[in-house]
Amino acid sequence: MVREWDPRTASSAEIASLLATLNAVLAADLPQDPPWRETSLREYLTEVMPGERRISWIAQAEPTGPDDPGAVLGQVHVLLLGDIGVLEVLVHPSARRSGLGRDLVLLAARRVYQEGFQSIGVEVVGDTPAVAFYESLGFTREYVETRSVLDLTAVDWAELAEMATGIGAGYHLEFFPGGPPDDLLEAYARAKAEVRDVDEVELRPSSYDPERLRDSLDTLHRRGMKPYIVLARHEQSGEVAGLTEVVVPAQHPTRADQYDTIVAQDHRGYGIDRAIKARMLLELRSAEPELIEVQTWNAQANEAMLKVNAELGYRSDRDWCEYSVDVAELVHRLDPPH
Ligand SMILES: CC(C)(COP(=O)(O)OP(=O)(O)OC[C@H]1O[C@@H](n2cnc3c(N)ncnc32)[C@H](O)[C@@H]1OP(=O)(O)O)[C@@H](O)C(=O)NCCC(=O)NCCS
């Protein structure tokens, strides 16, 4: 049975069953990734930025008895933001290749179409069945990044401490667990706006104005994801010359996610990228004792950043792609008029 589903009011048994399916999917497709925990999973699925909406459906097996709500075999949700719907689909490995994934996409696509949105975007992990799946549905690849993973148990901490101090004169670093303080939000948003990458399809939009930035930090906290920031301040002007953001999710606190790292144009060439990332790792080592890995995503063309990441010990893991499709075309392909 497939039905619309609201994680805010779902039973704990359904949340637990969805978690089991997610972990079965990870074990099958990304066996090196840590399994997720139930901590803040409901909030992760429920909370969105102001102005955004997430709509979900689940596919459940027949209940086996009065206490069994029916295992969650698949789930789809679509996040409506800006002018696109961002899709995520999961099908339990034991229920694959029977058309369930396609049915779930059709449900979500119909809704996105009815809501008047033009396109659907999705993140597709390289070397998994999702690539053939989305290509069979007519999605096309827009953008490819490389995911890299750093194993903190293999890090040379003394060398890292040296990197953290190897920064040009006239700059100093500041560490902010929880996000930038209020009085820095404006300078922080300015630094982010400056290097906005206009070519990227924005499935994970960054925040470029202070209000949006504050909303995005609040949303992260509500979803159980703790942000950490290291800033490089230019002492003479007080400007934010560089920043790096890492988020530790309650759902998988052994593996953190590296978000944006930015060095403003005028401040490049002073070792800021290397120093802020090294300082971040040193801080995380004491702030998050459970943490053993950090993952990051980079455009393949971003050679400077890839070089610094390699020096820090990041190893490239796999392709991470963004695909998109025109909603009307998708609905007509999957649900041709009779
Ligand atoms: C991608 C996914 C949703 C597909 O679900 P599914 O129910 O197996 O898909 P369907 O049965 O509807 O397949 C539809 C079509 O997609 C294509 N397809 C799906 N899986 C495929 C595979 N493993 N190899 C080749 N083609 C595939 C086929 O053309 C298939 O049609 P066919 O079976 O008639 O040949 C499922 O594999 C999944 O949940 N993957 C994980 C997705 C994810 O987000 N992971 C994130 C963490 S890794």
Side-chain angles (χ1 to χ4, degrees):
M1 181 189 58
V2 178
R3 64 182 168 90
E4 196 167 333
W5 182 73
D6 183 355
R8 194 182 298 272
T9 53
S11 70
S12 306
E14 280 171 358
I15 297 281
S17 181
L18 175 61
L19 176 67
T21 292
L22 169 64
N23 282 333
V25 164
L26 286 172
D29 293 353
L30 287 171
Q32 310 298 325
D33 280 42
W36 282 42
R37 303 177 185 178
E38 208 169 322
T39 322
S40 299
L41 183 58
R42 187 189 296 276
E43 292 74 13
Y44 179 86
L45 296 166
T46 306
E47 297 295 337
V48 292
M49 290 275 282
E52 296 177 357
R53 272 184 303 148
R54 190 188 286 108
I55 312 173
S56 308
W57 293 260
I58 53 170
Q60 275 175 304
E62 286 301 317
T64 54
D67 300 330
D68 174 21
V72 174
L73 298 177
Q75 194 232 1
V76 58
H77 59 236
V78 66
L79 180 68
L80 299 175
L81 59 93
D83 56 358
I84 66 165
V86 180
L87 186 72
E88 277 187 57
V89 187
L90 286 180
V91 173
H92 195 287
S94 67
R96 290 183 181 175
R97 294 311 286 272
S98 61
L100 178 55
R102 195 193 282 120
D103 290 349
L104 292 172
V105 169
L106 176 58
L107 266 178
R110 271 202 207 118
R111 178 67 68 85
V112 174
Y113 184 63
Q114 283 162 8
E115 299 271 353
F117 287 75
Q118 291 235 310
S119 65
I120 289 185
V122 63
E123 268 188 19
V124 179
V125 184
D127 254 341
T128 70
V131 175
F133 173 70
Y134 287 109
E135 288 181 355
S136 80
L137 301 182
F139 284 70
T140 53
R141 186 178 289 205
E142 301 287 348
Y143 194 77
V144 187
E145 290 190 320
T146 304
R147 181 176 75 165
S148 306
V149 181
L150 174 64
D151 173 4
L152 294 176
T153 63
V155 159
D156 180 338
W157 292 102
E159 199 183 315
L160 212 67
E162 232 167 80
M163 288 185 190
T165 51
I167 190 171
Y171 294 96
H172 70 264
L173 304 189
E174 294 170 20
F175 171 62
F176 298 104
D182 264 9
D183 60 337
L184 269 179
L185 278 182
E186 218 153 290
Y188 191 90
R190 237 189 341 266
K192 288 189 74 139
E194 192 195 313
V195 292
R196 180 169 192 179
D197 184 354
V198 286
D199 294 333
E200 195 173 339
V201 182
E202 301 232 319
L203 301 191
R204 278 178 296 183
S206 299
S207 301
Y208 305 106
D209 69 75
E211 210 40 58
R212 203 65 200 144
L213 186 60
R214 188 175 287 115
D215 286 344
S216 124
L217 288 162
D218 286 348
T219 309
L220 275 177
H221 283 290
R222 280 187 277 110
R223 298 183 83 200
M225 302 161 87
K226 182 162 185 193
Y228 290 91
I229 312 281
V230 171
L231 296 183
R233 292 286 286 278
H234 183 233
E235 285 161 4
Q236 206 185 351
S237 63
E239 266 175 42
V240 171
L243 62 94
T244 190
E245 309 168 330
V246 169
V247 169
V248 180
Q251 300 82 14
H252 53 88
T254 61
R255 185 185 282 201
D257 298 321
Q258 170 82 58
Y259 280 34
D260 284 351
T261 297
I262 285 162
V263 179
Q265 201 72 43
D266 292 350
H267 302 284
R268 296 197 180 157
Y270 298 101
I272 291 177
D273 181 8
R274 184 182 295 104
I276 54 182
K277 283 182 177 163
R279 171 73 179 271
M280 174 66 88
L281 295 173
L282 290 162
E283 296 286 357
L284 289 174
R285 192 186 185 198
S286 42
E288 292 285 340
E290 271 199 275
L291 189 65
I292 43 182
E293 292 170 313
V294 182
Q295 58 189 355
T296 185
W297 289 263
N298 294 104
Q300 277 146 354
N302 197 344
E303 281 170 29
M305 203 165 270
L306 289 173
K307 182 167 168 282
V308 167
N309 286 349
E311 282 175 41
L312 292 164
Y314 279 92
R315 299 277 163 266
S316 64
D317 176 43
R318 56 172 83 213
D319 285 350
W320 218 267
C321 315
E322 290 176 8
Y323 276 72
S324 72
V325 73
D326 180 84
V327 185
E329 273 173 34
L330 178 63
V331 170
H332 286 117
R333 177 177 296 112
L334 292 178
D335 196 11
H338 301 292

